[in-house]
Structures are given as C-alpha cells and as structure tokens.
Amino acid sequence: MQTHEIRDRFTRHFVKSGHTAVPSASLILDDPTLLFVNAGMVPFKPYFLGQQNPPFENSTATSIQKCVRTLDIEEVGITTRHNTFFQMAGNFSFGQYFKEGAIRHAWSLLTSSVDEGGFGLDPELLWVTVFLDDDEAAEIWEKEIGVPKERIQRLGMEDNFWHMGVPGPCGPCSEIYYDRGPEYGIEGGPEADDNRYMEIWNLVFMESIRGESDANGNFEVVGELPKKNIDTGMGVERVACLLQNVENVYETDLLRPVIEAAEDLTGTKYDAGSQQNDVRFRVIADHSRTGMMIILDGVTPSNEGRGYILRRLLRRIVRSARLLGATGETLETFMNTIMDTMTPSFPEIADNRERIIRVAVNEERAFLKTLESGTQRFDVAATAAKEEGAQVLSGEQAFELHDTYGFPIDLTMEMAREAGLEVDMAAFDRAMSEQRNRAKADNRAKKHGAADESLYRDWVDNQPTEFVGYDNLVHDSRVIGLVRDGETVNEAKAGDEVEVILDVTPMYAESGGQTGDRGRIVMGDTVLSINDVQKIGKKLWVHKGVVEAGGLDLGSTVRTEVDEKWRHGARQAHTATHLVHAALREVLGPTAVQAGSLNKPGYLRFDFNYTEQLTDAQLEEITTIANQAVDADFAVNTLETSLEEAKAMGAMALFGENYGNEVRVVEIGGPFSIELCGGTHVAHSSQIGPIAVLGESSVGSGARRIEAYSGMDSFRYFSKEAALASALAQEFKTPSEKLPERIAELADKLKAAEKEIAQLHQQQLLSNTADLVNQAETIGEFAVVTVKLPNGVNAGDLRTIAQDLRGRMVEQAAVIVVASDNGGKVPVAVAVTPAGVDKGIKAGDMIKLIGGYIDGKGGGKPDLAQGSGSNVEGLDDAFRAVKDEIFTK
C-alpha cells in the first residue's frame, strides 16, 4: 500500500465518523516556542490550552500534519526508525469522546480489512501499553476491545505520560505496537524490545494540568482540565514500513528512490555490508526530504534559526554523497527524486519545483566553496600543531571548523587522521554541549511565551471582537475589557496608558504585514488616543493608547474612530504591495516567493526568496509593471470562500500562516494579482497613486527585499529626485537627460587622475629605496634593513617599499623591516629574500617577534608578512630583537 493511500484511508476513516478534515499547517507557525511544527497537535494548541474554542463541527478534527524534529541530526540514519521529517496522522476530540472513543477509532482503522477501508493489520500482532495506574484504559483494551491481558503492558511517566514540557495540559497515554517477529528481537513486548515491537500510534488522554518543574525536571499534577480532550498521533512512515513489508522507513516508497539515485551518482551500493555507508545513504534520503519540505514552506539557508537548520541538512547531504564517492553536484538529482515521490501527497510541490531546485543547488555550490576555504583553515591549524610537536588538533579548532566553516566533525576527524593527528573530541564535545545548552536555555525561556496570553483567554473564548473596519471607519462600541500594567482594571483615568477591548471595532489590528490603525475612542469629554491595535488568538482586538482627557469605565458605550488619513495611506501601501508582488513574479518568475512584508502609510517593504541580486533593468521593469497596473484602474475585489476554492482560483498564500477553512481573497485586475489577504485595500488601483521602487537589498542568504513608496510619499520622492536632477543639470551645464553620460565622463576623468596620482605617489615612495639598500647592515650572512619611515606612511605603502627592497636585494640573503607611525598606529612590513628564507629566516616569525615590542600582532608568509601595533616607542627595541635573532642564525 503506497504512502499516499495510507494517508487517504486515514482521513476517510475519521471524516466518515464525523471528524472535520483539517489541512496540514505550514511547518513554520507564528509560535515563539518552536522553530518548526514538531507534532500533529501543534496547530491545535490554542484549543487544548483553552485560549480559543474549536471551530470544528462536533468539536472533533483529523489531520495529517507535516512535522520536523532536528534535536539529534547527527543521529539520523544510525537507527532506522527515526526521520527528521515525518507525517503525523491524528484525530482530536475537544470535550467529545474520550478514552473509549479514541481506542475504538484506532483499533477499527488498524484491524479492519483493506476492502473495508482499513489497514488490515493482524490484531494478534498488536500490543498496547498504558500508564502505570490507568486502570480505565487497561480495562477498555481488555474488556471492550479484546486484547489479551498479557499483551497489555504498563509503563511509567517517561513512556506513557504526555505533557508539553511547560505548565499546561497533560495526561496519560496509551501506545499501540506491532510485533515484527523474532527475527527483529527478543520476545516480551514493548518493555522488552522496542525494535521488534514497533510503536505505530500514541493515544493521549489529555485530562489534567501540570505545574512547574523542580530542579530535577519533576512536576506535580495540580488540577483537572474543564474538558477531557483526545490527541492522537499515528506515524505514517512507520505504518508504511509495515504495510509495504520493508525492513525500515528508509526502504518505503518515499525514501528508497533517493537511495537508489545516490547509488547511481556515487557508484556505491546500499546494504552491501558497510554500516558506515548505509548511514550515509540514509542521511541523504532523510535530509533530502526534510530539506525539500522546509524550502517548500519558504525557508532559505542562513546562519541562524530555521535557515541554519536547513543549511546543516543540505551540507550533510553533500558531505555524505562525497564520502560515498560522488564527485560532482548532487542536490538537483536528490531534490527531483524526492519531489517525485512526495507530490502525490503534497500537490503544491509541483508549483514550487523550480524554486526548490534553485535554493538547494545554490547552497550546494556555496558549500563546495566553503569546503575549499575550510580545508585551507584546517591545513593552517594542522601545520601549526605539527610544528609545535603536538599530535592532537584542539577541540576548540575542530569546533570552529564545525561552527564557522560548516565542517562536519567526521570530515575534520578524517582529515586529521590523514595528517597524522587526532582530534581532542572531549574538548569538542564540551564546546558542542555548551552550544546546545545555550540553545536549550533560550528555548526554555521562549516556551513560557505560551502563557503570556492567558490574561485574555476568557475574552478570546467568550467575547471575541467583531471587526467591521472593511466597511466602516467609525462605529459605536462597548468597552468589555480594560488592561493596565498587565492587570485587568475597571476604569482608566487621564494620563493612563491602557489596553481597551471592545465588543466591535472598525480599527484594523496589525497582521499580514499591515500595521495596526491609529485613531480615537471618544465618549463625551473623554478622549483616548489609540496608537496601536494588536490581535490575540486571531479573535481579540486589543487597542493600545493613552487617555488624553476624561476617564473610561468598564461597560461604557464609546465611539471608535479610525484616523481616516492613516487608513487611506495604509490601504494605498498594502494594495501597492500586492502590485509589486505581482510585478516581481512577472519579471522573475514563480520562484520569487513572498517571505514577509511590512506596509504602513506611504511605505512598503516586500521580502522574497530569491538567490540573485536584481539588476537595474529588472527593478525598472518591476516599477513600470506596478505603475501600469495603477494606471489601468483595476477594480480591487474581495470575497470570502473556502481555502480549497481559493487555491483552485490560484490565490497565493503567505508561508507560515495557519489559514482557517474560510479565507478572504483579494483580486486585482483578474489574473494580475490574486492573494489570500485579510488587510484593507483601496477600491481601485488608481487610488494608490504613483509607486516609487527605491531599490532592493539582501536580508540573508537566498532572501531579498524591495522597498517602495506609495501615494503622496511617492510623489514627494519623485519631486525631490526631479529637483536634484535639475540642480545637477544646471551645475554641469547639460540637459538632465544627458546627465548620466556627463557624470560617467567626469568619473572616467577622475579615475584617470587618481591613477596618475597613485603612480606619482609610488614613484615618490620608491625614489629613495636605493639609498636604503646602501644603508643595509651586514649581520653574519645576512644583509639587514631596519628603518622607521616618515610619519603617515600607511600599511599598503610599507608593503610596496618592502617588496621593492626585496627585489633590489634578491641576489643575497636579506631581511627588510620597514615601519611607520601612522596616527598612533604602528604598521610594520617584513620581507625576506629567497636566500634568506633558505637560511632559516621567516617573515611571519619576525612579525610575531616585533609584535611583542609594539603591543601588536600580525602574520603572513615566509617571504612577506605584515602587522601593526600601538606602541611606537617599542620600535627601536623591536629592531634590535630582529638583529639579535638574525645573529643567531
């Protein structure tokens, strides 16, 4: 049974029983506790935490959520049961059925025949575990389902009690295992051998509330949830492994083709007796899929956060392929292969294929260059270690290669062995552990963000805000909540900074890149100036402002007024953002995918995933297309429809957004621009006014940013540009249309003059070098020049002089040291002729010696080195030390 059919059967089973099918959320959600969605229940957290009421019919849902877990990337492939990317199929009940319902649903799907829509697993091969004291679950399994008592095992907190790692919902769980047979391990059930007995489904009975952990990670259950909830997770990949009768998850229909592609590229065979090679094949298969899915959801490689995880994954693929024997680029082949296997389950891959390939291939090419530079850094470290007589490369240097240059530790160890060195793995592990601890501490700190909105939970659940701002800028409202200094209050006085919660509001809350409205709340003599509006739980509008006059009481009826000028400017900028996005895709193609935006009155910025700098011609074309859309006076239409219908219309969605079943579509000029968007917009594109694209820049690896003005801000920008052009035309006495030619002509003349000045400067510098040669001292077999040149000679000039002197003295063993006092800094250059190097003098050693006297440092090659210090008074002593060192040779 193919994996996509397993997914379909799971969804049909639960929809038939009344569950609402919920599409997988993006791997990237606006959740401060997570880099990636790592469990099927994550998109449902607000319902489990009680922050929101579930919007599903019957308060039940089912989903197949894409997940990524990357805590132990280095362990991937060593075991054959774990993947960094996996699909978690789950069913959820928010206060409806509980233990018996969850158990019956799971058992029915697993054991019903294939003809009846089930998976057809033999019930005699299924084992279950329950929490130690969960007699209720054990009895249901035995009495209601008919699982023999000897196949029901009780396990402790670590295995059969679920919680989120922070105070909140928790409860016992029951896991279902499949006995793969004696060839996989010993008898005795899951507690004896969890390799033979493979876990395929976890049923969480969420019924309690846990408290804070103590220093040892222990916690107490402090209460019961108002509703008993069900959260289950079935591992799609593991079930596929069983139903396809293969040894492990890497040999299923999704990953085996990648291994076969790797065999073709490397000439090495999988499962040919080398455990080390098999691990590398699994790393390639696993990371190719995970990397592809992360890129699909809008991430690009970088040195931090999600981008850093993606970079590590892609680089481990490249390194593994090279260790298996690949000599050229590999990622394009691997990405195409994994996209072929995954597209039946994720059709959106087809529309993003070119972009995914581009991101992966560019990262591979960059890493191949990194391998070259990292190898050079390794060679320097290894040479220094051997010169010092050491047989060990320090753990700190190995960690630097790993952390700074992206070198996997296995690569460093292999290269060290080839150089006759070992790596201080204890020190490396300490450095890695310190880094992980810092990351975990940061993650623990972030996890508490989930509790920040608890103050607003009752309003979110029971009194959500009604937004009427699409059609109204003024509306009567009732004050249903006041918050000051993080606490609810019943009144606010003049001068108070306060958050106001209204039953209905015309004010737009910041979201989708559009900043919140500005405006006023008034009641008689009371005036409250609103400077920001934020949204909590997607349902509650929080108006932040200052009471400028009068006072405000809980329950008051007020008049809420949007600043019309502010809203008009925001509408212009937000609609302009849509036009720029459409123009961008027209010029660059569909691979330019939105990665974020900000729009406020008169200004917009638009981030998109793209790996190349835009040319001036491309920017000009984007500006022209966007303004042609303004001139066309396109109608801006909005409609609310289902997510599926919106996608069928071709509407683009923002990565990272978790859309509900009903979405708002903004359409401008028919097919010109169709996007999912909850923002406010002008009625016709001509109301935007001119759009001035200011330029574009990099905001990270594979990410670019366009900035632009709209409306009157754009007009003012163009006016200033015209005034500047007019002033320049007058200054240069040339028509404005010929300014570029005139400026280019002057620039060429300036460059020629600068070149001539530089040549004259160099001639002047070198005019006295013959005299310096004549002043050389003879020390043993060496001719030595040590001279402090006039103040103000910079490091570049010193280098030129040193090289010239070396050329004049090339026939003898000579050492040249030139220095200067350059504004408090002491630059120094040392040059040694080939004969001098042969006799044991190295410029790099000399520069280090000098550095000790002038409070400086430096380095270089044996024949030329440079450095600088801050103690000019130490130069004479430094010169003497150089001569003494030469005398000993």
Side-chain angles (χ1 to χ4, degrees), residues 669-725:
F672 181 75
S673 172
I674 307 176
E675 296 190 38
L676 301 184
C677 181
T680 63
H681 296 276
V682 297
H684 290 266
S685 61
S686 60
Q687 295 171 346
I688 297 172
I691 299 173
V693 175
L694 308 179
E696 68 94 41
S697 59
S698 171
V699 289
S701 177
R704 313 293 301 178
R705 170 174 292 171
I706 279 184
E707 296 180 88
Y709 289 137
S710 61
M712 288 301 297
D713 286 84
S714 183
F715 173 77
R716 284 187 283 269
Y717 170 78
F718 284 134
S719 296
K720 288 180 180 178
E721 291 290 296
L724 176 61

Side-chain angles (χ1 to χ4, degrees), residues 177-192:
Y177 291 78
Y178 183 86
D179 181 2
R180 305 174 73 194
E183 62 270 30
Y184 290 94
I186 63 174
E187 295 183 4
E191 66 179 0

Side-chain angles (χ1 to χ4, degrees), residues 50 82 97 127 178 205 208 235 368 408 457 640 668 710 776 778 785 809 859:
H82 296 89
Y97 59 81
W127 289 62
Y178 183 86
F205 310 132
S208 306
L368 293 178
R457 183 178 301 170
E640 293 187 358
I668 307 172
S710 61
T778 300
V785 174
M809 305 172 74

Side-chain angles (χ1 to χ4, degrees), residues 700-779:
S701 177
R704 313 293 301 178
R705 170 174 292 171
I706 279 184
E707 296 180 88
Y709 289 137
S710 61
M712 288 301 297
D713 286 84
S714 183
F715 173 77
R716 284 187 283 269
Y717 170 78
F718 284 134
S719 296
K720 288 180 180 178
E721 291 290 296
L724 176 61
S726 178
L728 288 172
Q730 187 174 356
E731 179 69 23
F732 292 131
K733 297 180 173 55
T734 188
S736 58
E737 64 269 16
K738 293 186 177 181
L739 272 175
E741 299 174 18
R742 177 63 172 151
I743 292 173
E745 178 186 341
L746 291 174
D748 288 342
K749 288 182 178 179
L750 180 60
K751 288 178 183 177
E754 290 175 343
K755 184 177 181 181
E756 184 177 352
I757 291 170
Q759 291 172 343
L760 291 172
H761 176 66
Q762 187 170 24
Q763 291 172 8
Q764 183 181 18
L765 279 174
L766 301 179
S767 62
N768 295 322
T769 55
D771 293 338
L772 294 177
V773 172
N774 295 330
Q775 297 173 18
E777 298 179 57
T778 300
I779 301 177

Side-chain angles (χ1 to χ4, degrees), residues 831-844:
V832 182
T833 62
V837 173
D838 290 341
K839 291 182 180 295
I841 298 296
K842 296 182 179 180

Side-chain angles (χ1 to χ4, degrees), residues 71-91:
L71 288 177
D72 299 305
I73 290 178
E74 288 84 358
E75 301 300 316
V76 167
I78 296 174
T79 71
T80 57
R81 292 178 297 159
H82 296 89
N83 301 129
T84 52
F85 173 89
F86 56 95
Q87 301 171 76
M88 188 57 72
N91 57 288

Side-chain angles (χ1 to χ4, degrees), residues 434-455:
E434 290 171 2
Q435 185 189 60
R436 288 194 185 104
N437 289 338
R438 287 192 296 269
K440 288 179 180 178
D442 182 57
N443 193 40
R444 283 195 299 269
K446 288 180 178 179
K447 281 186 177 180
H448 291 285
D452 291 343
E453 296 177 359
S454 59
L455 178 68

Side-chain angles (χ1 to χ4, degrees), residues 74 303 308 312 315 370 374 377-378 381 392-413 416 422-439:
E74 288 84 358
N303 287 329
Y308 177 66
R312 286 187 65 195
R315 292 186 171 190
T370 295
R377 178 69 184 90
F378 172 85
V392 177
L393 186 71
S394 75
E396 291 75 13
Q397 289 172 316
F399 179 74
E400 179 190 13
L401 285 166
H402 165 84
D403 198 49
T404 304
Y405 293 90
F407 255 42
I409 185 60
D410 60 340
L411 172 59
T412 303
M413 294 174 66
E422 295 182 357
V423 177
D424 184 349
M425 288 304 299
F428 174 82
D429 290 340
R430 283 196 299 272
M432 286 293 294
S433 178
E434 290 171 2
Q435 185 189 60
R436 288 194 185 104
N437 289 338
R438 287 192 296 269

